[in-house]
Amino acid sequence: MCEVTDPMMSDTAMKYLLVRPGVPAPLDPNFCPYILSKKHYLKHIADCRTFDKVGDLHFAVERPDGCGRDRLPVFKAGHEGFDASIFLAGEAIRYMLWQRG
């Protein structure tokens, strides 16, 4: 049996990340694709750029044949969207490790 140890997403993070697809998944009606979440999040980031509440998180995975790099715009600490930034950054890093690990 697999035990999930990740903490639950906060209500605030849900507001910034969760989006229902146009066609619900028949096996999981609550499924929210990563790409829809990221697009929704980036819209919130774009709305906030003028208030100097956004920074960039740069991350990399070193490989024997090079280095995979990416960046994610994030809300700065103190902004209500900060929890969403932490959650999405974790998912982006996990994806890169899975993809290039």
Side-chain angles (χ1 to χ4, degrees):
M1 183 167 165
C2 179
E3 183 179 335
V4 177
T5 58
D6 290 345
M8 292 295 295
M9 186 186 301
S10 71
D11 290 339
T12 306
M14 286 183 193
K15 180 177 91 171
Y16 281 82
L17 295 173
L18 296 185
V19 179
R20 299 255 189 226
V23 177
L27 297 178
D28 184 359
N30 291 322
F31 176 69
C32 176
Y34 172 80
I35 190 65
L36 292 182
S37 292
K38 188 172 179 183
K39 284 181 179 181
H40 188 62
Y41 171 82
L42 291 175
K43 285 180 187 176
H44 285 287
I45 288 283
D47 292 343
C48 192
R49 286 249 180 226
T50 57
F51 300 110
D52 194 35
K53 300 282 184 180
V54 175
D56 283 323
L57 171 69
H58 296 264
F59 55 95
V61 174
E62 187 176 355
R63 303 272 307 159
D65 59 342
C67 184
R69 300 177 301 147
D70 202 356
R71 82 170 183 77
L72 179 70
V74 294
F75 291 107
K76 292 184 178 178
H79 187 278
E80 75 166 351
F82 184 66
D83 283 351
S85 293
I86 290 172
F87 190 89
L88 192 61
E91 293 302 309
I93 292 167
R94 264 189 265 215
Y95 179 73
M96 181 179 275
L97 286 169
W98 172 81
Q99 182 184 41
R100 302 175 190 192

